[in-house]
Amino acid sequence: QQQVKQSPQSLIVQKGGISIINCAYENTAFDYFPWYQQFPGKGPALLIAIRPDVSEKKEGRFTISFNKSAKQFSLHIMDSQPGDSATYFCAAGRGGSNYKLTFGKGTLLTVNP
Amino acid sequence: GAGVSQSPSNKVTEKGKDVELRCDPISGHTALYWYRQSLGQGLEFLIYFQGNSAPDKSGLPSDRFSAERTGGSVSTLTIQRTQQEDSAVYLCASSLGSGVSYGYTFGSGTRLTVV
């Protein structure tokens, strides 16, 4: 059972455009939703994270939008740059002492110059 | 060290051989995780350590897989009698505490190829 569904699998955006990646989850106990960025040959790195008590969180060009009723959250990359080209993973976990993250399958983002 | 270190970075092994993958977490990080990343798949949880104990081994695919952690630091993932379906990138992560909100710091992984 895939608990976190991520789309699209791949995305091509022109420099300066907006990249949007979507995720949907099933387990209503999830209350922590991070996004990880992975460059080729490297491990994933935490990019930004949100809790369901807010509907949006912004850090620089990166914004998470969260819709609790729809059990969906998305990553928006504004003014996309070629250096943003990477694989992006959404994930979900439960707070407190719970340690396990459930990851989506990833989105390969390519930003053309 | 400054980050999570994994070795080797690449490993090619023959089917049926045993392999050991090593992870050096960030100093002071008490929690350590192993995940597996297969082509086109997300990150699959394998095992979680808190200190030297492994309270959750539920993600290990079969009894050919085992892991240990010593001194609250270095961890080794061992795969016995490797099969072609074991080919994947094995990622280790550590965190300061056991809650997800501490954030995982991943190593660069070990790419295992079973031929």
Side-chain angles (χ1 to χ4, degrees), chain A residues 9 31-32 36 38 41-46 51 87 89 92-106, chain B residues 33 35 37 40-45 48 55-56 58-59 89 91 98-109 111:
Chain A
Q9 283 187 312
D31 63 359
Y32 176 74
Y36 281 78
Q38 183 180 31
K42 301 295 184 182
L46 179 62
R51 290 195 176 276
T87 300
F89 292 94
R94 294 172 57 186
S97 60
N98 205 284
Y99 50 83
K100 188 186 297 185
L101 285 175
T102 300
F103 286 85
K105 291 190 176 184
Chain B
Y33 315 83
Y35 279 77
Q37 183 175 19
Q41 301 296 314
L43 280 69
E44 175 190 12
F45 170 83
Y48 155 67
D56 188 350
S58 63
V89 176
L91 292 164
S98 60
V100 292
S101 59
Y102 281 97
Y104 291 3
T105 301
F106 282 93
S108 294
R111 179 174 298 277

Side-chain angles (χ1 to χ4, degrees), chain A residues 7 11 33:
Chain A
S7 63
L11 179 62
F33 303 92

Side-chain angles (χ1 to χ4, degrees), chain B residues 17-108:
Chain B
K17 299 286 189 182
D18 297 352
V19 295
E20 286 189 352
L21 313 179
R22 178 187 169 103
C23 173
D24 279 279
I26 292 173
S27 179
H29 279 198
T30 59
L32 185 145
Y33 315 83
W34 284 97
Y35 279 77
R36 180 167 71 174
Q37 183 175 19
S38 303
L39 191 63
Q41 301 296 314
L43 280 69
E44 175 190 12
F45 170 83
L46 297 179
I47 189 169
Y48 155 67
F49 286 92
Q50 179 58 40
N52 292 334
S53 303
D56 188 350
K57 306 178 182 180
S58 63
L60 295 178
S62 73
D63 58 10
R64 296 185 296 105
F65 288 72
S66 63
E68 65 174 10
R69 188 180 184 193
T70 56
S73 181
V74 173
S75 177
T76 303
L77 177 68
T78 301
I79 308 173
Q80 295 179 311
R81 305 180 303 281
T82 51
Q83 304 295 312
Q84 288 186 330
E85 61 263 29
D86 300 334
S87 295
V89 176
Y90 289 82
L91 292 164
C92 175
S94 68
S95 64
L96 194 56
S98 60
V100 292
S101 59
Y102 281 97
Y104 291 3
T105 301
F106 282 93
S108 294

